[in-house]
Amino acid sequence: MSDFDKPLERRSRFSFRHKRDSDSSGRIAESIARFTGTARFLIYLTIFVVVWIAWNTIAPENWRFDSATLGFTALTLVLSLQASYSSPLILLAQNRQDDRDRVTAEQDRQTAERNLADTEYLAREIAGLRMALSEVATRDYVRSELRDALEEFDQDREERLAERDQRILELQAELDELKTQRENEEHPPLQGFDS
């Protein structure tokens, strides 16, 4: 396919070569809108109007460019032009602020959801710990159980000692009986002497 077979790209004669950054123009509009809302701007505008009126009333006739007899028509047009540009700039700044507020509100909502989820998780964990601690033996409970076990052990020991002593006595009696039997077998008792 040759270059002649390809269609030509159509370009608008009035297209701009570089794209304008809407964010930078928005920042510029915001800075202008912020400046027009300051006391400094009001002072500058007041000085401008006073100089304009003074120049057009005090200056020689051929140097004047606005007529006081016509109510300073050029000044009125300049102030109207400034007001007509200020209104859209203020609206643009408000729209950008609304967008920022919306993003901030969304971030706050997400943070609140995360905090709520964390709080619920911690509440479940604390409830689980409380349940686990209710099953865990306390120091007083362990002491009382050890005291009871020691008392049972002492009772069992006394019973076993008594049984042992009884058994020892029985064995001693059997032993004594066996000794006497053995002695009787080895040394039978002497019965009269027959001679």
Side-chain angles (χ1 to χ4, degrees):
M1 189 181 262
S2 69
D3 289 338
F4 294 113
D5 294 336
K6 294 180 186 174
L8 291 174
E9 293 179 16
R10 296 185 75 186
R11 288 190 189 179
S12 173
R13 285 188 280 172
F14 301 109
S15 67
F16 295 107
R17 292 217 173 236
H18 82 288
K19 294 181 182 177
R20 295 183 185 222
D21 185 15
S22 64
D23 194 43
S24 65
S25 61
R27 282 193 301 262
I28 292 169
E30 273 186 335
S31 64
I32 293 171
R34 281 196 186 113
F35 176 69
T36 57
T38 60
R40 183 185 299 172
F41 174 75
L42 291 175
I43 292 170
Y44 290 164
L45 186 62
T46 303
I47 292 170
F48 173 77
V49 169
V50 167
V51 168
W52 183 290
I53 291 172
W55 179 267
N56 288 304
T57 54
I58 299 173
E61 189 72 34
N62 58 349
W63 288 6
R64 296 180 191 171
F65 50 87
D66 197 7
S67 172
T69 58
L70 297 176
F72 298 108
T73 309
L75 178 63
T76 305
L77 288 174
V78 167
L79 292 177
S80 297
L81 181 66
Q82 182 269 332
S84 66
Y85 275 105
S86 293
S87 299
L89 290 174
I90 291 170
L91 288 175
L92 179 62
Q94 285 177 344
N95 289 341
R96 285 176 52 87
Q97 185 62 43
D98 289 343
D99 291 342
R100 278 195 298 273
D101 291 344
R102 193 174 5 244
V103 168
T104 303
E106 178 64 24
Q107 289 173 347
D108 290 345
R109 186 187 61 77
Q110 290 173 354
T111 303
E113 285 179 356
R114 280 194 304 269
N115 288 341
L116 180 63
D118 291 344
T119 303
E120 288 175 352
Y121 171 75
L122 290 174
R124 285 193 303 271
E125 288 296 314
I126 289 172
L129 285 173
R130 283 184 180 166
M131 290 173 52
L133 284 176
S134 67
E135 297 172 2
V136 171
T138 62
R139 183 175 57 194
D140 294 335
Y141 175 76
V142 170
R143 283 182 181 166
S144 67
E145 289 296 313
L146 286 174
R147 215 174 282 126
D148 293 343
L150 186 59
E151 287 174 5
E152 287 178 22
F153 178 72
D154 287 342
Q155 287 175 357
D156 288 345
R157 187 181 63 144
E158 288 174 9
E159 288 174 5
R160 277 185 266 133
L161 285 175
E163 287 175 7
R164 187 190 72 177
D165 291 342
Q166 182 65 30
R167 183 70 180 146
I168 288 172
L169 289 175
E170 290 172 2
L171 290 173
Q172 188 66 40
E174 286 179 22
L175 187 62
D176 289 342
E177 190 178 316
L178 285 173
K179 275 186 186 177
T180 54
Q181 281 179 1
R182 191 178 278 170
E183 285 178 5
N184 287 341
E185 289 175 2
E186 288 178 5
H187 304 289
L190 295 175
Q191 298 186 0
F193 289 107
D194 294 349
S195 35

